[in-house]
Each structure stands twice: as structure tokens, then as C-alpha cells.
């Protein structure tokens, strides 16, 4: 109502004003009734100078502005909504938005902004939504948001943030939701969120936080929802989560193998706790939350013996719903936790202990260490060691050899940004307790066999951004528990299969930004890394994925984007039957043939095919994909038609933008699907010329199409001759090994029946220690 009143006042003012209104820019479309201007995808390099002064909404997405100069919008002071997505903006100069005191929504997503300066958002005193997701932000300067006192939502997802400094968000006096997902955060200053007294939702999922930032979070008195999923945490100690109003906590898809019964003792209002897909074998009753209604343990290797009985009795007494199933013993395997009676949870004998269960898997018989009196800190020269936190760092100290003499209990060792060049055998003596080792930016070009020997608890190894061209087959000997391995940003020319053969627990492998050209069928995943779940190969030079190279029943995530593929790797995908996420964007795949994803149709949830120059998709390209698919993107291709999307009833995200769709009757099924879809779908006509640039949903050309769309009677055989599918030019390769078949009625997609997958067990970390 307020917006309508404002629009009326502005319109009346404009009509009565002697000043002549600006003309609609030649390449744009304007609506004088709604006071909107749309200049989408016009390759503009500057803001059009003739925008009408009373414009309320300006859409400039998909242009090439690069730099926003000072006073860029001074001719449109009444703007309330401004969209600058995908404009290649790398720099926002001081005062660029200074005249936009009425703006409530600003979208700067999918640009190239790397630093948020103190003056970047000056003048936006009414702003309520700011979208900065999918940029390159790696630094937030103090005071960057001091002018945004009315901002409710700030999105900084999918950027390159590693650290949040003190008072980074100072000035956000009305913020409700702060989104920091999908960055590389591994550290938060204690005062990072100070001053956010109205924040009630915080998203920190998909980062690199190795311990729960207790002190930082305690500065957030009003937060009710906190998402920390997909961070590599191993353990939560006593009073880790101290948030008085927290109701929903998401700690799923982490590496938790232990949780103190007092971890949540200072979060009394917690009602929903998600611990799914971790490595918990048992859990004690949780002290503190008195209103807990749901505890999700799905995907954990829960061992249903007498040590789970107290939790089951506690859950029954408190009305807590337990989600998940038993992983053992055999007679209770796959039994829902909620259905197991407490009397069925028993041990073989009175003398059995939980430690026995862990010893079966780790081979360790050493008792947990007892507390010792404080002693003088032992630490190498020019390094810092924290006995209590069990951390040691020599970051950026100019070392040319790996220092020795770290405290025996060190669990996180940070040696990044030194100049080692070469790691000889036995480079890390006395570090058997180290769980996480950082060696990024150390100019390492060779690793001798046995360099990590003795690091029996090493779980995370970061070798990113070095000069490795190959790996010795014994490079990782002596580190059998290694689960997360980062090798991105090196110069590896082939997949290091022989070196990985010594890592039976490898779970996540990062190989982005190397020069790997082909994936060969040399037992790549099946025998070399049998437990591998996530494989990242973005930004290599891969031209082919050979059949037999992806043989893994466990692989769930595969990123092949920004490579040099020219055809769909359908045959290779048939050996990864549980694949959930596939990225193929930024390859040169012009043609996607029938049944391209059939081998993974029962498991696939997220499919990305943006910017591939794709000219044609077979009508059966998505055959078999049904309600299980959640995300589908084909942005920025050359598609005139699309396959039938109606079977994809589970879609939550779909991106069809920047395709020259042919808006004719052949596209009517898509138009109807868009009208009935419960999510927002952006699709634009490319032809015929008279409707170019208009949304498929809005054009009138479909009004003249035949209305005979009711399905034929099942007893009547209708067999019209199917139109021949127009394939791309002869230079383009055909989908390998797949013959085109006549169209046939589609059966309903069967729900996915995946067997529960057991996660790798992390090295044991005792409760009386802080986690990494």
C-alpha cells in the first residue's frame, strides 16, 4: 500500500511538473504506468543518461558496466529497486549510490567485486535488501555498512571470504538475516558480529570452520536459527553453543565424531537439532535444551547398544523425536531409532565399554590422556604455540625448512605461506596428534615418499596453491586416516591415482585449477579411493572422461565445470550410481542426446549446465529424471527449445535465462509449465524478432496455438510420425553410444532407494580438548 501511494504521488508530481520527463533509452523498454525501465542484456557499458527521473524500478542485469562511477544514478533519485546482476562490475566508486536515499532493494549478485570499501554504500539510508552473492569478495573494510541502518537482509554467499574481522558489520541496526554460506571462512574474530542486536538468522554453512566459534556467537543475543552445516568440525565441547534464544541449529554434513552432553547446556530454547550425516556412534542425553522436539541423527554410524539406552529413554520421556537408524549391531541394522525399545539396547557383557567399540575401528588401546599441570610451552623458533587450544602456527615466517619441536598434543599445525620448495621424508616428526595441517602457498614442487610418515591422525591436509606437477606414489605413506585432501591450484598434469592408493579413508578430494587433461580408466575411484564422496575437478583441461574412470558406488558430488569436454560423459556416469550433484558448466558441449543422465537418474539432485554453447537438447535428454531433481540450470546457452520439464516436480531452483528460445507453438508445453510452476522461472524469447527480449510467460503468441492438450485415452493408440530432431552442425559430436529411439509414454519416476552409506570414522579426539 505504501509503495502504491508513493507511485501515485510521484506520477502526479511528474504530470504537474513543468520539467519535461526524460525519454525512454533507445535500447530499453519502459512502462510509464508502473514507472519501470528494463535494459536487460543490451551490452551497456554505462548507465543510460535518459532514464526518466521518476523511475521507481530499474533493471540493468546482464550488461557490461564494469565500474560504477560517482553519482552513477543521480538522474533517477526516486528509485526503489535496482538490479545490477551479471554486469561485470569490479569496482563501486565512492558515492556511486549517494543519491538513492529511497532505494529498498539493490542486487549486485554475480559480479566481480573483491573489496567492500568504507564508502561503497553511502547514501543508501532506506535499503532493506542487499545481494552481493556470487562475487569475489575477500575483504570487508571497517565501516563498509555503517550507512545501512535499515537493512534487513545481507547476502554474501559464494564469495572468497576467509576471515571476518572485528566489527565487520557495524551499523546494521535492523539486520534480520545474514548469509555467509559458501565462502572459505576458517576464522571469525571474537567481535565479528558485535552490534547485530536484531539478527535472528545466520547462515555459515559450506565454509572451513574447524571449531565452533563460541565467543563470537555469544555476541548474538537474538539469533534463533543458525546453520553451521558442511563445516569440517570434529568435536563440540562443554558449553560450545551459548545462545540464549537459539531454537534451530543445523550441524549436519560435518565431521562430528563426539559431542559433549553439556555442549548445548547454555541454549535452553533449542527445539530442532540436526546432526545428520556426521560420524557419531553414540550420543549421551543432552543437558540444557528443555524444549527439544526433534533430534536428527540420520546418516550417522550409530551403534545401538547399551550406551544408546540413556538417550533413547531421555528422548521418550521428553517427547523428542529421534530421526535416523541403527548402523549396528547386525540384528538392529537399519532399525529406526524411534522404533527401538530401550530394553533392546544392550551390551554383550557388563564389562564392555564404548572404548571397545572405537578400538575395533582404530586399533588403539591407549587410555585417554589425563589432565596434567601446566608446563613451559615448547615451540620452535619464530612460531606460536597455544597449548590450551592445541594449535601451532608459523604462517608467513619465511621458513625454508619445516620447523621441528612442536608440542606433542598439537592438533592444528599452520605452516602456510613459507618457502619449503621440497618436503623430504619424515618432515613432521613428533606430530602424531596433528589432525589438520596447512601447507598452502609454500612453493612446494616435490614431496618425497614418506614425507608425512608418523602422522597417523592426520585428517585434513591443505597443499593448495603450490607448484606440484606430479606426486610420488608414496607421498602420503604414513597418513592412513587422511580424509580431506586439498590439491587445488597446483600444476598436476594427471590424476594422482597411485599416490591416493595409500589413502583408504579419502572422502573429499580437491583438484581444481590444475592441468589434468583426461580421466583414464585405471581403477580411478573404485579401487584406489573406495570411499571417495566428493571430487572437484573445476578449471582443468579435461577433454574426455573415459569409461571406467568413475567407478564408485559412493561418489555423490562431481564438479567437471570449466574444462574442455565436447560431449556428455554418459558412459562414465553409469559407474557412479549414487551421484547427487553434477556440474558441467563452461564446457563446449553443444549437443545433449537422449538418456544422457539415465544412469544417475535415480540419485541426481543438482545439475548445472550453464554457458556451454549448447544448441540442442534431445526431447529425451532428461529422461528418467523425476521428482528427485532439485536444481537445474542451463543459463547462457543457445537453446531454442527445451525438453519437457513437467516430470521434474521436485525442482526448487531452475535457471533458463539467456537462451534464444523460439516462442512458437512448439514451446507451448514450456509456457504452460512455467505458468503452473510453484517457483519463479525466468525464460526469455529470442525469436521471432517481434517478441525478442520478452518473457515467455508474458508474450501473446501462444494465444493462437491449438488447445488440444488433454491426454489421449489410454485405450487409443496414437502414433503420429515424430518430427525429426534437428541435430547441430556436422562438426559437433554425437552423444556417444546412445541410439535415438521413438518417443514412448513416460512412466512415473520411482523414488530413489539408496542404501545407507557409512561415513569414514575420524581420528578420536578426546572431550577435554578443544577441537580444530
Amino acid at each position: 500500500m505504501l509503495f502504491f501511494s508513493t507511485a501515485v504521488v510521484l506520477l502526479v508530481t511528474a504530470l504537474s511538473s513543468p520539467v519535461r520527463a526524460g525519454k525512454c533509452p533507445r535500447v530499453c523498454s519502459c512502462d510509464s504506468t508502473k514507472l519501470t525501465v528494463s535494459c536487460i542484456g543490451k551490452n551497456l557499458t554505462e548507465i543510460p543518461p535518459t532514464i526518466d527521473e521518476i523511475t521507481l524500478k530499474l533493471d540493468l542485469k546482464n550488461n557490461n558496466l564494469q565500474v560504477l562511477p560517482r553519482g552513477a544514478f543521480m538522474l533517477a533519485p526516486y528509485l526503489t529497486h535496482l538490479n545490477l546482476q551479471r554486469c561485470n562490475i569490479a569496482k563501486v566508486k565512492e558515492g556511486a549510490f549517494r543519491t538513492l536515499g529511497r532505494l529498498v532493494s539493490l542486487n549486485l549478485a554475480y559480479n566481480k567485486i573483491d573489496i567492500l570499501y568504507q564508502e561503497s554504500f553511502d547514501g543508501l539510508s532506506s535499503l532493506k535488501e542487499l545481494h552481493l552473492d556470487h562475487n569475489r569478495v575477500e575483504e570487508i573494510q571497517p565501516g563498509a555498512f555503517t550507512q545501512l541502518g535499515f537493512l534487513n537482509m545481507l547476502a554474501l554467499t559464494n564469495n572468497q571470504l576467509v576471515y571476518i574481522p572485528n566489527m565487520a558489520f557495524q551499523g546494521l541496526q535492523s539486520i534480520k538475516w545474514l548469509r555467509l554460506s559458501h565462502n572459505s571462512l576458517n576464522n571469525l574474530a571474537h567481535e565479528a558480529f558485535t552490534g547485530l542486536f536484531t539478527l535472528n538468522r545466520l547462515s555459515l554453512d559450506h565454509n572451513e570452520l574447524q571449531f565452533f566459534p563460541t565467543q563470537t556467537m555469544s555476541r548474538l543475543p537474538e539469533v534463533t536459527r543458525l546453520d553451521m552445516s558442511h563445516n569440517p568440525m570434529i568435536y563440540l565441547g562443554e558449553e560450545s553453543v551459548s545462545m540464549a534464544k537459539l531454537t534451530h541449529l543445523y550441524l549436519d554434513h560435518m565431521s562430528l565424531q563426539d559431542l559433549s552432553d553439556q555442549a548445548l547446556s547454555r541454549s535452553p530454547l533449542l527445539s530442532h537439532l540436526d546432526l545428520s550425516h556426521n560420524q557419531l556412534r553414540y550420543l549421551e542425553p543432552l543437558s540444557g535444551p528443555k524444549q527439544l522436539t526433534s533430534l536428527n541423527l540420520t546418516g550417522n554410524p550409530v551403534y545401538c547398544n547399551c550406551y544408546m539406552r540413556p538417550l533413547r529413554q531421555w528422548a521418550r520421556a521428553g517427547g523428542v523425536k529421534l530421526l535416523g537408524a541403527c548402523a549396528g549391531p547386525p540384528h538392529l541394522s537399519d532399525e529406526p531409532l524411534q522404533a527401538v525399545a530401550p530394553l533392546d539396547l544392550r551390551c554383550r557383557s557388563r564389562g564392555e565399554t564404548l572404548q571397545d567399540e572405537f578400538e575395533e575401528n582404530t586399533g588403539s588401546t591407549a587410555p585417554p590422556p589425563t589432565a596434567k599441570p601446566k608446563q613451559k610451552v615448547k615451540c620452535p623458533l619464530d612460531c606460536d604455540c597455544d597449548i590450551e587450544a592445541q594449535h601451532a602456527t608459523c604462517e608467513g615466517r619465511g621458513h625454508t625448512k619445516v620447523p621441528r619441536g612442536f608440542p606433542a598434543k598439537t592438533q592444528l599445525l599452520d605452516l602456510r605461506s613459507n618457502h619449503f620448495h621440497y618436503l623430504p621424508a619424515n618432515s613432521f616428526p613428533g606430530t602424531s596428534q596433528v589432525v589438520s595441517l596447512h601447507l598452502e602457498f609454500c612453493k612446494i614442487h616435490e614431496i618425497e615418499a614418506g614425507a608425512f610418515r608418523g602422522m597417523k591422525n592426520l585428517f585434513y591436509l591443505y597443499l593448495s596453491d603450490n607448484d606440484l606437477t606430479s606426486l610420488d606414489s608414496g607421498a602420503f605413506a604414513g597418513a592412513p586416516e587422511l580424509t580431506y585432501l586439498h590439491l587445488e591450484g597446483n600444476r598436476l598434469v594427471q590424476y594422482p591415482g597411485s599416490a591416493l592408493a595409500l589413502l583408504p579413508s579419502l572422502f573429499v578430494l580437491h583438484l581444481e585449477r590444475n592441468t589434468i587433461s583426461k580421466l583414464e580408466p585405471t581403477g580411478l575411484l573404485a579401487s584406489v579411493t573406495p570411499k571417495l564422496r566428493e571430487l572437484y575437478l573445476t578449471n582443468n583441461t579435461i577433454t574426455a572422461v573415459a569409461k571406467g574412470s568413475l567407478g564408485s558406488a559412493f561418489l555423490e558430488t562431481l564438479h567437471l565445470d570449466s574444462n574442455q569436454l565436447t560431449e556428455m560423459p554418459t558412459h562414465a556416469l553409469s559407474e557412479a550410481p549414487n551421484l547427487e550433484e553434477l556440474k558441467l558448466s563452461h564446457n563446449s558441449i553443444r549437443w545433449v542426446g537422449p538418456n544422457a543422465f539415465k544412469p544417475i537418474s535415480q540419485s541426481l539432485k543438482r545439475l548445472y549446465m550453464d554457458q556451454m554453447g549448447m544448441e540442442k537438447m534431445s526431447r529425451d535428454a532428461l529422461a528418467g529424471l523425476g521428482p528427485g531433481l532439485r536444481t537445474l540450470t542451463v543459463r547462457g546457452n543457445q537453446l531454442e527449445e527445451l525438453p519437457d520439464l513437467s516430470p521434474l516436480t521436485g525442482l526448487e531452483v531452475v535457471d533458463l535465462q539467456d537462451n534464444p528460445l523460439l516462442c512458437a507453438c512448439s514451446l507451448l508445453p514450456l509456457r504452460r509449465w512455467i505458468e503452473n510452476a510453484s517457483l519463479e522461472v525466468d525464460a526469455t524469447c529470442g525469436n521471432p524478432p517481434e517478441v525478442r527480449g520478452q518473457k515467455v510467460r508474458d508474450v501473446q503468441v501462444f494465444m493462437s496455438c491449438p488447445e488440444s492438450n488433454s491426454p489421449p485415452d489410454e485405450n487409443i493408440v496414437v502414433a503420429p510420425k515424430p518430427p525429426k530432431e534437428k541435430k547441430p552442425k556436422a562438426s559437433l559430436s554425437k552423444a556417444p553410444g546412445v541410439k535415438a529411439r521413438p518417443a514412448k509414454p513416460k512412466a512415473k519416476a520411482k523414488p530413489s532407494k539408496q542404501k545407507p552409506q557409512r561415513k569414514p570414522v575420524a581420528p578420536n579426539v578426546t572431550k577435554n580438548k578443544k577441537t580444530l
Side-chain angles (χ1 to χ4, degrees):
M1 191 65 187
L2 178 61
F3 172 78
F4 177 76
S5 303
T6 304
V8 171
V9 170
L10 290 173
L11 187 58
V12 171
T13 303
L15 294 174
S16 60
S17 173
V19 180
R20 185 177 179 182
K23 296 180 180 178
C24 184
R26 183 173 59 85
V27 297
C28 306
S29 58
C30 305
D31 188 326
S32 58
T33 304
K34 297 180 180 178
L35 304 179
T36 62
V37 176
S38 177
C39 314
I40 302 173
K42 304 301 181 182
N43 204 29
L44 297 174
T45 57
E46 60 180 20
I47 311 300
T50 58
I51 294 174
D52 202 313
E53 183 184 32
I54 64 171
T55 300
L56 296 181
K57 293 186 177 182
L58 175 60
D59 194 340
L60 292 169
K61 65 186 172 189
N62 295 326
N63 283 290
N64 191 29
L65 300 178
Q66 298 187 21
V67 176
L68 293 183
R70 184 172 183 172
F73 303 95
M74 62 185 303
L75 298 179
Y78 297 105
L79 284 181
T80 60
H81 293 73
L82 175 59
N83 193 340
L84 295 166
Q85 286 186 76
R86 300 182 186 272
C87 286
N88 287 320
I89 297 169
K91 175 81 171 176
V92 179
K93 292 196 172 180
E94 176 188 356
F97 305 113
R98 194 161 286 161
T99 57
L100 300 182
R102 294 174 173 81
L103 199 70
V104 296
S105 177
L106 173 59
N107 196 331
L108 284 163
Y110 293 94
N111 282 292
K112 299 177 180 179
I113 300 168
D114 57 357
I115 299 177
L116 301 181
Y117 295 95
Q118 184 172 356
E119 308 85 1
S120 295
F121 305 109
D122 278 8
L124 299 176
S125 55
S126 300
L127 198 65
K128 292 186 176 181
E129 289 187 4
L130 175 56
H131 296 266
L132 288 163
D133 43 302
H134 293 276
N135 275 274
R136 301 174 181 176
V137 177
E138 57 184 28
E139 181 182 348
I140 301 174
Q141 293 193 347
F145 304 111
T146 52
Q147 301 290 316
L148 308 182
F150 285 95
L151 196 71
N152 294 150
M153 193 280 294
L154 172 60
L156 278 163
T157 60
N158 294 91
N159 277 282
Q160 298 175 13
L161 292 168
V162 175
Y163 173 68
I164 302 294
N166 288 324
M167 309 297 289
F169 303 101
Q170 186 178 11
L172 300 181
Q173 301 168 9
S174 305
I175 191 75
K176 303 294 185 194
W177 188 8
L178 177 57
R179 301 167 61 188
L180 293 165
S181 312
H182 291 277
N183 279 275
S184 300
L185 291 169
N186 59 51
N187 196 5
L188 305 176
H190 290 168
E191 306 290 336
F193 301 130
T194 296
L196 304 184
F197 300 115
T198 59
L199 188 71
N200 55 45
R201 186 171 182 181
L202 176 59
S203 302
L204 280 165
D205 53 288
H206 292 86
N207 278 287
E208 299 293 333
L209 295 167
Q210 296 184 11
F211 59 93
F212 193 92
T214 304
Q215 289 183 278
T216 306
M217 295 301 170
S218 66
R219 270 72 168 178
L220 296 171
E222 297 297 323
V223 166
T224 60
R225 288 177 175 262
L226 174 61
D227 190 348
M228 298 285 292
S229 59
H230 293 272
N231 278 280
M233 296 182 197
I234 297 174
Y235 172 63
L236 285 188
E238 294 182 5
E239 299 184 355
S240 290
V241 186
S242 180
M243 305 177 74
K245 293 192 176 181
L246 191 66
T247 60
H248 291 69
L249 177 59
Y250 301 93
L251 299 172
D252 53 287
H253 291 88
M254 298 167 76
S255 302
L256 290 172
Q257 67 168 35
D258 204 357
L259 189 80
S260 168
D261 62 321
Q262 300 289 325
L264 307 167
S265 61
R266 305 198 57 180
S267 298
L269 301 183
L270 195 65
S271 60
H272 291 75
L273 176 59
D274 191 344
L275 293 169
S276 61
H277 302 284
N278 279 286
Q279 297 163 17
L280 297 166
R281 287 177 63 85
Y282 99 116
L283 200 65
E284 295 177 0
L286 300 173
S287 299
K290 303 298 183 185
Q291 302 181 27
L292 199 64
T293 59
S294 173
L295 175 56
N296 192 349
L297 291 170
T298 303
N300 282 278
V302 176
Y303 200 85
C304 291
N305 64 2
C306 60
Y307 293 98
M308 280 293 289
R309 188 184 301 161
L311 182 77
R312 184 68 188 91
Q313 291 172 331
W314 167 81
R316 175 179 286 184
V320 180
K321 184 175 182 180
L322 289 179
L323 304 176
C326 300
H331 71 282
L332 290 177
S333 184
D334 296 332
E335 187 73 15
L337 294 175
Q338 190 73 10
V340 178
L343 291 177
D344 292 333
L345 299 169
R346 53 183 181 269
C347 295
R348 293 190 302 272
S349 68
R350 293 183 64 185
E352 184 186 33
T353 65
L354 181 68
Q355 188 65 29
D356 293 334
E357 297 295 338
F358 280 107
E359 288 167 5
E360 289 178 12
N361 292 279
T362 65
S364 170
T365 58
T370 56
K372 294 182 179 180
K374 289 187 178 180
Q375 53 186 347
K376 187 177 179 180
V377 175
K378 171 188 172 186
C379 195
L381 184 66
D382 208 15
C383 296
D384 298 312
C385 302
D386 187 329
I387 293 291
E388 183 182 357
Q390 298 167 338
H391 293 183
T393 179
C394 312
E395 179 183 355
R397 307 294 172 85
H399 292 284
T400 56
K401 294 183 178 179
V402 176
R404 300 194 174 193
F406 294 100
K409 301 299 182 183
T410 300
Q411 292 194 354
L412 186 147
L413 181 55
D414 192 345
L415 300 172
R416 75 185 83 189
S417 301
N418 283 288
H419 309 294
F420 299 137
H421 298 287
Y422 169 71
L423 295 181
N426 300 307
S427 286
F428 304 91
T431 58
S432 62
Q433 298 301 311
V434 168
V435 173
S436 181
L437 175 60
H438 288 265
L439 289 166
E440 304 101 308
F441 298 101
C442 285
K443 301 183 179 179
I444 299 168
H445 61 80
E446 184 179 352
I447 300 175
E448 188 176 297
F452 304 100
R453 186 174 290 127
M455 304 191 78
K456 61 182 181 180
N457 284 321
L458 189 63
F459 199 67
Y460 307 95
L461 177 57
Y462 299 86
L463 284 163
S464 319
D465 297 288
N466 281 290
D467 297 322
L468 295 166
T469 56
S470 62
L471 285 169
D472 188 284
S473 59
F476 302 117
E481 297 295 336
L482 190 58
T483 303
Y484 292 81
L485 177 58
H486 290 256
L487 288 165
E488 65 267 32
N490 281 280
R491 293 183 287 143
L492 296 169
V493 296
Q494 62 184 20
Y495 188 90
S498 60
L500 303 178
L502 297 176
L503 301 177
S505 300
L506 192 63
F507 184 74
V508 176
L509 177 59
H510 288 271
L511 284 166
E512 304 96 318
R513 297 182 288 116
N514 279 282
T515 56
I516 299 168
S517 60
K518 190 174 182 180
L519 299 184
E520 299 284 1
T522 53
L524 187 61
L525 305 183
S527 59
V528 177
T529 51
K531 294 182 180 178
L532 193 67
R533 294 288 185 88
E534 301 176 15
L535 177 58
Y536 299 94
L537 289 160
T538 304
N539 269 312
N540 277 273
T541 58
I542 297 171
T543 58
V545 183
K547 185 177 181 180
S549 61
L550 296 176
S552 172
F554 291 91
L555 193 66
E556 294 177 351
T557 300
L558 176 61
H559 288 191
L560 288 167
D561 45 317
S562 297
N563 277 284
Q564 297 174 16
L565 295 171
T566 57
E567 58 185 37
M568 285 294 306
T570 303
H571 286 311
L573 295 176
S574 65
E575 293 141 357
N578 289 312
L579 198 66
E580 295 182 0
E581 177 171 302
L582 177 61
K583 283 192 176 183
L584 294 166
S585 303
H586 297 278
N587 282 283
S588 297
I589 302 176
R590 306 291 181 86
W591 155 253
V592 179
N595 302 306
F597 306 100
K598 199 67 176 284
I600 52 175
S601 61
Q602 295 302 303
S603 61
L604 194 63
K605 295 180 180 178
R606 297 173 294 279
L607 176 60
Y608 302 88
M609 297 190 293
D610 304 321
Q611 307 287 340
M612 299 200 312
M614 196 188 335
E615 298 173 356
K616 179 74 176 177
M617 290 181 73
S618 162
R619 65 168 60 90
D620 295 321
L622 304 177
L625 294 173
L629 194 68
R630 299 285 184 264
T631 299
L632 173 65
T633 70
V634 292
R635 173 189 281 266
N637 286 291
Q638 299 299 315
L639 294 169
E640 293 188 350
E641 297 181 358
L642 286 165
D644 182 17
L645 302 183
S646 59
L648 310 181
T649 56
L651 280 178
E652 297 170 354
V653 176
V654 61
D655 192 345
L656 311 177
Q657 294 187 64
D658 304 328
N659 282 285
L661 296 174
L662 176 60
C663 285
C665 291
S666 59
L667 205 68
L668 184 59
L670 176 67
R671 158 69 178 267
R672 292 215 168 113
W673 179 81
I674 291 174
E675 287 178 341
N676 296 324
S678 59
L679 67 166
E680 185 176 346
V681 181
D682 249 347
T684 307
C685 301
N687 280 298
E690 59 269 20
V691 295
R692 184 175 298 154
Q694 296 183 37
K695 291 185 177 181
V696 173
R697 181 192 294 270
D698 299 335
V699 294
Q700 301 299 312
V701 68
F702 299 104
M703 300 295 289
S704 59
C705 294
E707 291 294 329
S708 57
N709 288 296
S710 56
D713 191 287
E714 291 184 0
N715 297 317
I716 301 175
V717 177
V718 180
K721 185 178 180 181
K724 290 184 179 180
E725 292 187 352
K726 183 182 177 182
K727 293 189 178 180
K729 299 173 185 177
S731 61
L732 305 178
S733 56
K734 182 181 176 183
V738 181
K739 295 182 180 180
R741 297 177 182 175
K744 58 182 180 180
K746 297 183 186 233
K748 290 186 178 180
K750 296 181 180 179
S752 176
K753 294 183 179 179
Q754 299 183 29
K755 295 182 179 179
Q757 304 290 339
R758 289 191 61 159
K759 301 252 181 181
V761 179
N764 194 21
V765 179
T766 55
K767 295 184 184 179
N768 63 333
K769 297 179 180 180
K770 291 188 177 179
T771 185
L772 302 185

